């Protein structure tokens, strides 16, 4: 591993950890918001049932997305630990640094991502 690659790895790790913290904070906020909605319905009944169901469906979808992204981040951190970071999972070629700069959790090179 060259010095440049090690620097890139450290940057990627910092980005991944920051994003993970952000996602976890979002989940925490969402959980609190859910509790507030439930209380609200019990005590005041201000929200219509429809609004509540819609909000709940959206919250669930968001939570699923966050869980999926957390999984990608955990996998990327694991690849950093094992020295496999930056290699495409499909073809093994190096993933373009620009692609990793945009999405540090990217697991596929542009060509393989395009095929999927
Ligand atoms: Zn590939």
């Amino acid at each position: 591993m060259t010095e440049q690659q090690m620097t890139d790895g450290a940057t990627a790790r910092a980005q991944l950890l920051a994003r993970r913290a952000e996602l976890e904070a979002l989940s925490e906020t969402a959980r609190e918001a859910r509790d507030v909605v439930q209380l609200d319905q019990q005590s005041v009944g201000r929200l219509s049932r429809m609004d509540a169901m819609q909000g709940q469906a959206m919250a669930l979808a968001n939570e699923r997305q966050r869980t999926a992204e957390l999984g990608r981040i955990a996998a990327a951190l694991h690849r950093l630990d094992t020295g496999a970071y930056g290699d495409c999972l499909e073809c093994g070629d190096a993933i373009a640094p620009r692609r990793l700069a945009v999405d540090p959790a990217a697991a596929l090179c542009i060509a393989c991502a395009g095929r999927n």
Side-chain angles (χ1 to χ4, degrees), residues 49-62:
R49 190 175 155 71
M50 201 70 131
D51 282 345
M53 280 167 57
Q54 225 165 44
Q56 199 171 42
M58 258 172 55
L60 276 174
N62 288 338

Side-chain angles (χ1 to χ4, degrees), residues 27-90:
S27 285
E28 187 58 34
T29 309
R31 242 192 314 277
E32 282 163 16
R34 248 190 330 261
D35 294 345
V36 169
V37 168
Q38 274 167 6
L39 276 178
D40 219 37
Q41 279 178 300
Q42 280 162 7
S43 54
V44 195
R46 197 165 49 207
L47 283 180
S48 76
R49 190 175 155 71
M50 201 70 131
D51 282 345
M53 280 167 57
Q54 225 165 44
Q56 199 171 42
M58 258 172 55
L60 276 174
N62 288 338
E63 190 63 41
R64 261 196 299 273
Q65 252 177 19
R66 281 193 293 270
T67 304
E69 194 176 348
L70 282 169
R72 293 175 71 236
I73 289 171
L77 286 169
H78 180 72
R79 289 196 297 278
L80 273 167
D81 288 339
T82 56
Y85 184 78
D87 298 336
C88 173
L89 279 188
E90 289 260 327

Side-chain angles (χ1 to χ4, degrees), residues 87-95 107-113 115:
D87 298 336
C88 173
L89 279 188
E90 289 260 327
C91 68
D93 280 357
I95 301 172
L108 300 173
C109 72
I110 282 270
C112 291
R115 274 197 297 273

